[in-house]
Amino acid sequence: MITGLGIDLIEKERINNAMKKSDRFCKRILSDRENVIFQSITSWQRKVEYLAGRFAAKEAYAKASGTGIGKEMAFKDIEVLPDSKGKPELYFKGEKNPKSLVSISHGREIIIAEVIIQEG
C-alpha cells in the first residue's frame, strides 16, 4: 500500500544560477557520496542536471514523508545514489530505504522527480 507520494519540479536555470553564484548551494544539497559523483562530472550542463535532479528528488521525498525539509529532515539526510545499473535509489541518514521508489526525468528546461513510499 502507498503511504506517501511526493513530486517536485525545478527549472534548470534556477539551479544554474545558484551554482554560478557560489559553491555553497551544492554543499548544502549534496551528501559526501553524492558530491563525489558530482565532482567526477566534467560537463557543466550535466552538473546542473545532476544537482537539479537530486534537489527535486529530495524535495519529493520530504513531501512523501510528510515532513518537508526542516527540523526532522535536511537535504543532506537524503541521498539519491545509483544502483549498479544507474537507477536512482533513496537513502535516508545513510541507510537505503527499500520502501521508497524514485524517478527523475530531465526535460530541456525543467527536471521533475517523483517519490512513492510504500508500507511493508
Side-chain angles (χ1 to χ4, degrees):
M1 173 169 57
I2 295 174
T3 59
L5 174 65
I7 191 165
D8 193 70
L9 65 90
I10 185 133
E11 296 170 343
K12 285 196 267 185
E13 190 62 27
R14 181 176 164 207
I15 298 298
N16 185 51
N17 291 340
M19 287 172 58
K20 284 180 179 178
K21 285 182 184 176
S22 169
D23 66 344
R24 287 185 338 178
F25 182 73
C26 297
K27 290 177 182 177
R28 191 175 66 113
I29 303 302
L30 299 177
S31 71
D32 290 342
R33 295 190 293 180
E34 291 168 320
N35 195 47
V36 168
I37 297 167
F38 179 79
Q39 294 302 325
S40 74
I41 300 169
T42 57
S43 160
W44 178 264
Q45 186 61 31
R46 182 63 193 114
K47 280 183 180 262
V48 171
E49 290 173 348
Y50 180 86
L51 184 58
R54 271 49 197 176
F55 182 89
K58 292 174 183 212
E59 285 281 355
Y61 182 77
K63 290 173 183 176
S65 298
T67 63
I69 299 293
K71 285 184 180 180
E72 296 179 37
M73 190 177 298
F75 281 111
K76 286 189 170 188
D77 290 336
I78 309 161
E79 292 179 292
V80 184
L81 299 170
D83 71 5
S84 61
K85 295 183 180 180
K87 179 182 137 224
E89 295 183 317
L90 284 164
Y91 291 73
F92 184 66
K93 295 188 177 182
E95 299 292 323
K96 183 177 172 187
N97 187 335
K99 297 178 182 180
S100 62
L101 302 169
V102 60
S103 180
I104 304 169
S105 293
H106 303 258
R108 189 175 302 150
E109 297 178 15
I110 64 166
I111 293 182
I112 189 167
E114 181 177 26
V115 171
I116 296 172
I117 299 176
Q118 307 171 88
E119 181 181 285

